Amino acid sequence: MKALRRLLLLVFGHGVSSVLHSLQYFYTGSSGLSTFPEFFAVGTVDGVQFEYYDSNTQRIVLKQDWMEQYTRDHPNILEAETGNYLGYQQTFQADIGILKKIFNQTGGTHLYQYMYGCEWDDDDGSTDGYNQYGYDGEDYIALDLETLTWVAAVPQAVPTTQSWDQDEARLQYWTYYHTKECDYWLKKYLSYGKSTLQRTDRPRVSLLQRSPSSPVVCHATGFYPDRVVVFWRRDGQELHEQVDPGEVLPNHDGTFQVSVDLNLKAVPQEDWGTYECVVQLRGIEEISTPLDPALIRTNWEDQSGLTIPIIIGFVVLLLTAAAVVGVLLYKKRNGSDTSSENTDGQNLAPEAQPLTTVQS
């Protein structure tokens, strides 16, 4: 999904002058998974999870200390949003049954996903939004905010999009949400979580190499926020050939990591001194690490070096698994005043209903 790629953002190029903030909600309904909740929801700000709900506990779990203060300031919000989640929980299970009929499925494991949110660039003030559904890991329906129409990713979704396009009230609500309301709540959450969400953590940079013939990896980790620029430079010029950039991945502590490979097969070792890895992150000075054999941690020199790539590979494996779970997630409505939450819940809940109505 297009929006899923926004969860893991990597920007290569010069100049880290702004930060792209995001508010995202993910809902997932499942069937055929005995050890997995039939429904769960996750809310994130700037990729940091701030709340969680699932059908097993049927309650909201706050994941950040600043959310505790938020709920103290809005004492009715948890009850209102728990009710909203319960409604979606029932809707998602009904819709999975309908989707299985649509796709002629009688059993097996199936996942129904819903995601929406918005982004805000704190430099130029621009905003963007997304609202989409997926089934079994594939796109199903998405809202085109430019034309204000629902787009079917597969033929089976066409009847639903035709019905939703006729619902002017819902379309107007989503226009308002993505242009006004989501931006409002994103900034409110950023204000509450300022000490953690708007901080800057300096990256730790290492050079790694698995074998003498392997690429040299520039690995930056422990940085925050995730909008980082990492590139290789030779004689002051950024390299576009010989490099293989990776994607930004989350660490368990809320920071991020990224690796950029440099292929040196055609480079004599006497020229290594002209190469350097550069890391740029807003709020810190540029970090430059020269391509010096003495700085490269390897697999073949000593026992300690052996564990480094293994650990990194294991972390990446875990993060990949987490990303797959993230691909399954679902959307939830944030809040402030009780009246605002209840009104929004009434507007949002029908979004899953037409699937059942149209396809039954």
Side-chain angles (χ1 to χ4, degrees), residues 73-194:
D73 292 345
H74 305 81
N76 298 316
I77 183 63
L78 287 179
E79 180 181 356
E81 298 213 347
T82 299
N84 193 38
Y85 281 137
L86 285 168
Y88 268 101
Q89 176 181 320
Q90 296 170 357
T91 297
F92 266 50
Q93 288 308 302
D95 282 348
I96 286 180
I98 297 301
L99 286 164
K100 290 169 68 175
K101 292 179 181 178
I102 293 172
F103 286 92
N104 295 318
Q105 299 164 335
T106 57
T109 298
H110 301 284
L111 298 166
Y112 180 39
Q113 307 146 338
Y114 177 41
M115 167 170 36
Y116 77 81
C118 59
E119 294 174 342
W120 166 60
D121 191 315
D122 69 357
D123 182 48
D124 60 17
S126 62
T127 61
D128 194 10
Y130 36 90
N131 191 318
Q132 57 196 100
Y133 291 78
Y135 182 61
D136 284 351
E138 301 293 335
D139 289 350
Y140 190 67
I141 296 174
L143 177 62
D144 186 330
L145 290 171
E146 293 185 1
T147 62
L148 207 58
T149 57
W150 292 95
V151 179
V154 292
Q156 293 88 341
V158 171
T160 297
T161 60
Q162 291 174 340
S163 174
W164 288 3
D165 283 343
Q166 299 303 312
D167 192 335
E168 300 254 348
R170 181 178 288 105
L171 290 173
Q172 289 303 316
Y173 169 74
W174 283 119
T175 300
Y176 172 76
Y177 179 83
H178 286 298
T179 58
K180 301 289 184 181
E181 192 172 0
C182 188
D183 179 66
Y184 169 81
W185 289 112
L186 170 56
K187 292 176 181 177
K188 178 177 282 288
Y189 285 148
L190 288 172
S191 176
Y192 271 89
K194 183 176 182 179

Side-chain angles (χ1 to χ4, degrees), residues 80-354:
E81 298 213 347
T82 299
N84 193 38
Y85 281 137
L86 285 168
Y88 268 101
Q89 176 181 320
Q90 296 170 357
T91 297
F92 266 50
Q93 288 308 302
D95 282 348
I96 286 180
I98 297 301
L99 286 164
K100 290 169 68 175
K101 292 179 181 178
I102 293 172
F103 286 92
N104 295 318
Q105 299 164 335
T106 57
T109 298
H110 301 284
L111 298 166
Y112 180 39
Q113 307 146 338
Y114 177 41
M115 167 170 36
Y116 77 81
C118 59
E119 294 174 342
W120 166 60
D121 191 315
D122 69 357
D123 182 48
D124 60 17
S126 62
T127 61
D128 194 10
Y130 36 90
N131 191 318
Q132 57 196 100
Y133 291 78
Y135 182 61
D136 284 351
E138 301 293 335
D139 289 350
Y140 190 67
I141 296 174
L143 177 62
D144 186 330
L145 290 171
E146 293 185 1
T147 62
L148 207 58
T149 57
W150 292 95
V151 179
V154 292
Q156 293 88 341
V158 171
T160 297
T161 60
Q162 291 174 340
S163 174
W164 288 3
D165 283 343
Q166 299 303 312
D167 192 335
E168 300 254 348
R170 181 178 288 105
L171 290 173
Q172 289 303 316
Y173 169 74
W174 283 119
T175 300
Y176 172 76
Y177 179 83
H178 286 298
T179 58
K180 301 289 184 181
E181 192 172 0
C182 188
D183 179 66
Y184 169 81
W185 289 112
L186 170 56
K187 292 176 181 177
K188 178 177 282 288
Y189 285 148
L190 288 172
S191 176
Y192 271 89
K194 183 176 182 179
S195 62
T196 55
L197 297 174
Q198 300 191 58
R199 73 188 192 277
T200 299
D201 290 348
R202 181 183 177 87
R204 302 183 300 277
V205 183
S206 302
L207 299 182
L208 311 170
Q209 192 176 28
R210 292 181 179 274
S211 70
S213 60
S214 299
V216 174
V217 179
C218 179
H219 180 71
T221 188
F223 58 86
Y224 189 93
D226 66 346
R227 190 163 188 176
V228 69
V229 175
V230 182
F231 59 95
W232 283 95
R233 195 160 60 189
R234 182 186 181 187
D235 291 328
Q237 298 296 317
E238 180 179 352
L239 291 174
H240 299 285
E241 304 294 333
Q242 304 173 251
V243 297
D244 182 16
E247 61 184 7
V248 172
L249 296 172
N251 291 321
H252 71 281
D253 60 357
T255 62
F256 298 90
Q257 64 168 295
V258 66
S259 296
V260 182
D261 296 2
L262 174 65
N263 190 338
L264 290 176
K265 288 184 177 179
V267 181
Q269 189 162 353
E270 56 266 26
D271 291 343
W272 281 25
T274 62
Y275 290 79
E276 60 184 339
C277 175
V278 179
V279 179
Q280 296 176 344
L281 185 70
R282 191 175 79 162
I284 67 168
E285 69 279 10
E286 179 179 283
I287 301 174
S288 176
T289 305
L291 183 59
D292 184 343
L295 300 178
I296 299 175
R297 306 172 76 173
T298 68
N299 269 354
W300 67 89
E301 289 185 350
D302 54 50
Q303 184 67 29
S304 62
L306 178 64
T307 63
I308 295 166
I310 295 176
I311 293 173
I312 292 174
F314 181 66
V315 170
V316 171
L317 178 63
L318 291 178
L319 292 170
T320 302
V324 171
V325 173
V327 169
L328 318 175
L329 303 176
Y330 138 179
K331 126 83 191 159
K332 145 208 166 315
R333 157 68 179 150
N334 47 8
S336 83
D337 298 329
T338 306
S339 59
S340 171
E341 309 315 330
N342 292 339
T343 300
D344 185 61
Q346 293 167 1
N347 285 333
L348 291 180
E351 283 297 324
Q353 297 290 347

Side-chain angles (χ1 to χ4, degrees), residues 23-43:
L23 172 61
Q24 298 168 313
Y25 296 99
F26 310 90
Y27 293 0
T28 295
S30 68
S31 68
L33 292 170
S34 59
T35 61
F36 203 68
E38 289 187 341
F39 175 85
F40 71 88
V42 172

